[in-house]
Amino acid sequence: MLRLLLFLVLTMFLPHVSANDGFEALSVTTNPDGSQEYSVTLQVLAIMTALSFIPAAVIMMTSFTRIIVVLAILRQAIGLQQSPSNQILVGMSLFLTFFIMAPIFSQIHEKAVQPYLNEEMTSVQALQEAKEPIKEFMLSQTRISDLETFAKIAGYEKLDSPEDTPFVVIIPAFVTSELQTAFIIGFMFFIPFLIVDLVVASVLMAMGMMMLSPMIVSLPFKIMLFVLVDGWSLVMGTLARSFGLGV
């Protein structure tokens, strides 16, 4: 999995490298006295720097953003401030992301990682092959309006098709679309709990219990409603199907 993510991150750093180029990781210089000096090139430094961007790639180039935002909105809708905790939400989002992205990672492994390990293609060729599945996934989840907006900002006025859009334009457009979709799904999940809050507040007001917070009374009912409808299964299934799984 680490190798797959490294391939994805390196595609952002090496967009213009020729497919015939390779990575000269170590250069050896022979001195006049016969001794040798070893120096690591800047390419290795770029690779090590790219490793630090793996968390950002997981968050911004996969389904993680939509999932974590929806779960955070859901927790707020129920009225639970600290349960499930942030660590649990991040863990759930991470593993659900691996589940949703499994077909994409399998394509990258078959088309790029395995041929590269078998020395059937160079590292740059493997990076180019690894970029295609993730690019196809991101384009399938990106709104055309968001893509056009960022393409115009970047100065790409004429593009024959979305597939011709540069990777640096697709990423912000994809993130924007994911946030938009996450808020739409979160709004749909918010409505039933909002109705419960309104009903409880109206009943308390009718009974003259002005000093009692409606949140205290409505919280058990919202939790009970969520459990009765098998809420977690419904939420996870909805998130998975929103990416085209099981459709």
Side-chain angles (χ1 to χ4, degrees), residues 63-75:
S63 57
F64 183 88
T65 300
R66 183 187 305 184
I67 298 170
I68 190 64
V69 171
V70 170
L71 293 181
I73 294 176
L74 176 65
R75 183 177 65 178

Side-chain angles (χ1 to χ4, degrees), residues 1-11 102-133:
M1 183 63 67
L2 181 60
R3 290 180 301 191
L4 294 176
L5 295 176
L6 178 59
F7 272 128
L8 298 180
V9 174
L10 287 177
T11 56
I104 309 300
F105 291 153
S106 297
Q107 293 181 38
I108 296 175
H109 185 268
E110 294 175 2
K111 296 180 179 180
V113 178
Q114 200 59 44
Y116 173 71
L117 295 178
N118 295 335
E119 299 182 354
E120 298 175 358
M121 61 175 60
T122 65
S123 57
V124 177
Q125 290 174 337
L127 289 175
Q128 296 297 325
E129 290 293 330
K131 183 167 62 175
E132 294 304 319

Side-chain angles (χ1 to χ4, degrees), residues 170-200:
I170 296 176
I171 294 177
F174 170 75
V175 174
T176 303
S177 294
E178 285 295 280
L179 290 174
Q180 178 79 357
T181 304
F183 273 73
I184 294 174
I185 298 176
F187 172 77
M188 299 303 296
F189 285 146
F190 212 109
I191 292 178
F193 301 107
L194 179 61
I195 294 175
V196 173
D197 285 333
L198 291 175
V199 171
V200 171

Side-chain angles (χ1 to χ4, degrees), residues 18 43 50 74 79 83-84 101-102 111 133 161 167 191 216 226 239 243:
S18 173
Q43 291 174 341
L74 176 65
S83 182
M101 299 296 295
K111 296 180 179 180
S161 64
F167 213 69
I191 292 178
I216 299 177
F226 191 70
L239 286 171
F243 289 96

Side-chain angles (χ1 to χ4, degrees), residues 192-238:
F193 301 107
L194 179 61
I195 294 175
V196 173
D197 285 333
L198 291 175
V199 171
V200 171
S202 299
V203 172
L204 292 178
M205 185 174 295
M207 296 175 63
M209 303 175 68
M210 305 293 184
M211 303 302 295
L212 182 60
S213 174
M215 294 295 297
I216 299 177
V217 180
S218 63
L219 180 58
F221 289 100
K222 289 190 288 187
I223 294 177
M224 181 181 64
L225 173 65
F226 191 70
V227 172
L228 289 177
V229 299
D230 196 10
W232 287 116
S233 178
L234 178 63
V235 170
M236 297 302 177
T238 300

Side-chain angles (χ1 to χ4, degrees), residues 107-168:
Q107 293 181 38
I108 296 175
H109 185 268
E110 294 175 2
K111 296 180 179 180
V113 178
Q114 200 59 44
Y116 173 71
L117 295 178
N118 295 335
E119 299 182 354
E120 298 175 358
M121 61 175 60
T122 65
S123 57
V124 177
Q125 290 174 337
L127 289 175
Q128 296 297 325
E129 290 293 330
K131 183 167 62 175
E132 294 304 319
I134 191 66
K135 182 178 181 180
E136 182 180 353
F137 167 78
M138 295 171 68
L139 284 174
S140 67
Q141 304 298 325
T142 304
R143 291 177 172 82
I144 298 297
S145 58
D146 294 329
L147 203 60
E148 292 177 346
T149 298
F150 285 95
K152 291 180 180 178
I153 294 174
Y156 296 96
E157 296 292 341
K158 295 182 180 180
L159 293 172
D160 296 334
S161 64
E163 288 74 16
D164 297 332
T165 308
F167 213 69
V168 293

Side-chain angles (χ1 to χ4, degrees), residues 10 13 23-25 40-52:
L10 287 177
F13 288 88
F23 288 100
E24 185 180 350
V40 180
T41 65
L42 292 178
Q43 291 174 341
V44 175
L45 179 60
I47 294 175
M48 298 305 296
T49 304
L51 285 173
S52 63

